[in-house]
Amino acid sequence: LPEPSVTENTLVRLGWLYEQMTALLGIKAFSPSVLAEAIGEETAERLESILAGKCAAPFKLLDAIAEYCSADAAWLKHDQRHPFPTEQSFTNYGNAFYSELSSEPFTTLHIVRANNDEGKVVLVKQINERNFKIYPTTIHMSNKIGATGEGHQHQFRETCEKLYQGAGNILGYILEFDDFHDIEHGVCHPLLSLKSKNRSFWVSDWWDAEYLERAGKMEEYWPGFNQLVKRVHGA
């Protein structure tokens, strides 16, 4: 069989992205006509034809679709990188990181920890029902780290406290590594993936010194969690 053409590959990626957005928002909220109007098309006819494979999508149209869906335009057009872009990782998680996270209004900040010994963290800032930014970090929520990791933990504790004091809705998660990896690297739609995941209260507890008074009465979120909280708070 002949290999798929570039146009066919682009259509596959566009179709996948459309399915992701429909699963996230619902068919009525993400129909071809809604998308067409949102990206400046005069009618839905051209977009419907493109999705049906009847004609190729111009690059400018793909750029507009990618922007509307928070997707990576280079992936959508040329199959480069991953479906969803990620922000550059910070080296300091104190004031500069807090300023970045709070630099624009957001509906929810999703803070995700990998459920393994390393305990890496990724943040997803949800700007609205469909748009977001992914922040990979070098933070390790674990006791099995070196001195640099401890510094990041202390900075991140202060940032979380500031966020909880009024920046918006904060949700925590603990995910299996494969699910975490896909969000961290922009392989899957993070809002769709998190939509089906159970939430965890680890974020609201780990930065709060009052948690230490309750720690002995609660099951740890992961082995060593209480020890981590005590160390970060200097208890």
Side-chain angles (χ1 to χ4, degrees), residues 119-152:
K120 287 190 69 178
V121 172
V122 62
L123 287 78
V124 179
K125 180 166 69 173
Q126 182 175 348
I127 299 169
N128 53 42
E129 61 181 359
R130 70 176 189 282
N131 296 123
F132 57 85
K133 291 182 179 178
I134 302 171
Y135 294 91
T137 76
T138 54
I139 299 167
H140 295 78
M141 295 302 297
S142 167
N143 289 311
K144 299 181 179 181
I145 55 173
T148 302
E150 288 190 13
H152 289 169

Side-chain angles (χ1 to χ4, degrees), residues 14-32 34-35 51 68-69 84 129-130 189 192 195:
L14 179 58
W16 179 85
L17 178 61
Y18 188 86
E19 290 175 356
Q20 293 277 294
M21 298 302 294
T22 301
L24 176 68
L25 301 175
I27 295 175
K28 291 185 178 179
F30 198 79
S31 65
V34 170
L35 177 58
L51 289 169
Y68 185 76
C69 300
F84 301 101
E129 61 181 359
R130 70 176 189 282
H189 194 301
L192 180 59
K195 188 177 181 180

Side-chain angles (χ1 to χ4, degrees), residues 55-156:
C55 63
F59 286 144
K60 287 185 177 180
L61 181 67
L62 294 173
D63 283 332
I65 292 173
E67 181 178 3
Y68 185 76
C69 300
S70 285
D72 191 319
W75 166 80
L76 185 57
K77 293 185 293 186
H78 311 299
D79 199 16
Q80 297 174 352
R81 300 193 292 260
H82 291 138
F84 301 101
T86 60
E87 302 298 309
Q88 185 174 356
S89 182
F90 278 61
T91 57
N92 181 296
Y93 296 99
N95 292 333
F97 193 50
Y98 172 76
S99 296
E100 168 62 27
L101 294 174
S102 58
S103 62
E104 59 195 327
F106 62 83
T107 60
T108 307
L109 183 65
H110 307 269
I111 304 181
V112 186
R113 180 193 185 270
N115 189 20
N116 59 8
D117 289 342
E118 187 179 31
K120 287 190 69 178
V121 172
V122 62
L123 287 78
V124 179
K125 180 166 69 173
Q126 182 175 348
I127 299 169
N128 53 42
E129 61 181 359
R130 70 176 189 282
N131 296 123
F132 57 85
K133 291 182 179 178
I134 302 171
Y135 294 91
T137 76
T138 54
I139 299 167
H140 295 78
M141 295 302 297
S142 167
N143 289 311
K144 299 181 179 181
I145 55 173
T148 302
E150 288 190 13
H152 289 169
Q153 289 171 351
H154 283 277
Q155 293 166 355
F156 189 52

